Amino acid sequence: MDKAKLTIVLAAPRGFCAGVDRAILIVEAALAKYGRPVYVRHEIVHNRFVVDSLKAKGAVFVDELSEVPDHVPVVFSAHGVPKSVPEEAAARGFEVLDATCPLVTKVHREAEMHHQAGRQIVMIGHKGHPEVIGTMGQVPDGAVLLVETVEDARTVAPADPGRLAYITQTTLSVDDAAAVTEVLKARFPAIVGPRREDICYATTNRQTAVKTIAPTCAAVMVIGAPNSSNSKRLVEVAARAGCPRAILVQRAADIDWGALAGIARLGITAGASAPDVLVEEVIAAARERFAVDIEEVRVTEETVAFKLPAQLTS
């Protein structure tokens, strides 16, 4: 029987960003330089396939430094850590390799700058996300008020509305963050924002690509982890852009192909922590079931690259 036709519309850019590339390379370079094991505090990026691949090469992932033997190499994840973590690492003699995305580090420096200037900080972000925990941990307790929604922005009560600044988690929905920011600026006209947008280029580009393809597709599939903020935002963006079905899958084995029966155009993208091999895996699985044509819709080219820490290049 002839296979049903399926056009796969690939959003581009998709998948790994420069910060994720750098973080994975740091773990691999540390293993090459120091040998097994290299300890990594928290998932290096939010993707099980990546984490399991690095485990197979000799990386050991831990939740806290208390699980790590003294005087060994330790990598901090791409999401960043509170100041207390490198302080503990230094006290215990660890060789620290900081894989924090430089764009997250930028937000850390903003938080410090605002605190030093005597401003209370409003952080737009998701409670409990490692990046938010790390950023809030750059300054003393109470210096940052966390705002997640427009409603939070309408009710947040700073100590001094005239001395206020805002910063943003790098992986938010661009539209959601803009809506929250609009409320903050209306309530607190003197609020100080970042000189350059905190939401990272990769998050913005992937969301723009999904907005472009979503109205033309019967379904959009986002390949990414359920704990990946940027991947979950892509699902939301696709739905808001007019796609009747937007789903998140970790890899091909998780797909309910029966639920996609009758669909002629399937959009596919991948979160910034999802490797391209998982996209290829999904396309291969689709070819087993459908006569597949591929369209790629590219909204911009990405040329950003970040250097590795000096101790891995010297």
Side-chain angles (χ1 to χ4, degrees):
M1 188 170 65
D2 290 341
K3 294 178 180 178
K5 292 182 179 180
L6 176 67
T7 298
I8 290 179
V9 186
L10 290 175
R14 63 182 176 274
F16 277 0
C17 62
V20 166
D21 263 333
R22 175 179 179 269
I24 294 168
L25 286 171
I26 285 172
V27 178
E28 292 175 339
L31 286 164
K33 180 171 183 176
Y34 301 107
R36 303 162 66 115
V38 166
Y39 287 82
V40 185
R41 184 184 180 276
H42 290 177
E43 290 188 344
I44 188 67
V45 296
H46 282 158
N47 187 274
R48 176 51 50 189
F49 179 87
V50 171
V51 169
D52 287 345
S53 297
L54 292 172
K55 279 182 179 178
K57 296 176 182 179
V60 177
F61 291 87
V62 298
D63 290 327
E64 300 298 341
L65 295 184
S66 58
E67 303 171 57
V68 182
D70 289 342
H71 307 291
V72 298
V74 174
V75 180
F76 296 157
S77 81
H79 308 103
V81 296
K83 274 190 174 179
S84 59
V85 175
E87 289 169 358
E88 180 186 351
R92 293 188 55 199
F94 293 140
E95 173 77 13
V96 172
L97 300 154
D98 189 357
T100 302
C101 174
L103 300 179
V104 173
T105 300
K106 165 189 171 288
V107 182
H108 288 185
R109 301 293 80 81
E110 288 172 358
E112 290 180 318
M113 175 192 72
H114 291 312
H115 180 66
Q116 290 165 4
R119 302 182 187 105
Q120 192 170 23
I121 301 162
V122 175
M123 180 166 193
I124 307 168
H126 296 296
K127 184 177 180 180
H129 190 278
E131 182 185 329
V132 171
I133 293 169
T135 300
M136 293 179 69
Q138 301 305 304
V139 294
D141 289 346
V144 180
L145 302 171
L146 182 62
V147 165
E148 296 190 79
T149 65
V150 167
E151 185 55 38
D152 291 342
R154 290 182 180 132
T155 57
V156 66
D160 182 354
R163 297 192 63 78
L164 198 61
Y166 73 89
I167 57 177
T168 306
Q169 183 180 336
T170 63
T171 55
L172 297 181
S173 158
V174 174
D175 294 336
D176 285 350
V180 172
T181 301
E182 183 179 350
V183 172
L184 291 174
K185 288 180 176 178
R187 288 191 64 203
F188 311 112
I191 196 168
V192 177
R195 292 173 186 166
R196 286 199 290 178
E197 182 63 58
D198 284 342
I199 295 177
C200 84
Y201 78 94
T203 297
T204 301
N205 290 346
R206 280 148 191 73
Q207 290 180 19
T208 300
V210 165
K211 285 180 184 178
T212 302
I213 70 166
T216 74
C217 296
V220 168
M221 183 182 297
V222 179
I223 301 168
N227 61 338
S228 166
S229 174
N230 73 84
S231 298
K232 291 192 290 185
R233 301 294 81 76
L234 288 172
V235 176
E236 296 167 359
V237 167
R240 289 177 186 172
C243 181
R245 175 176 291 180
I247 58 175
L248 178 68
V249 300
Q250 295 201 68
R251 56 188 313 176
D254 302 323
I255 299 170
D256 179 2
W257 291 103
L260 297 175
I263 286 176
R265 288 178 64 85
L266 172 65
I268 292 181
T269 188
S273 50
D276 199 52
V277 65
L278 297 184
V279 177
E280 296 301 324
E281 178 185 271
V282 167
I283 292 172
R287 289 190 189 280
E288 293 177 2
R289 297 162 174 82
F290 302 94
V292 173
D293 287 325
I294 303 290
E295 292 180 15
E296 184 175 70
V297 176
R298 180 170 295 276
V299 299
T300 190
E301 297 290 339
E302 291 181 346
T303 59
V304 178
F306 297 127
K307 295 180 180 178
L308 298 186
Q311 66 260 55
L312 292 175
T313 58
S314 58

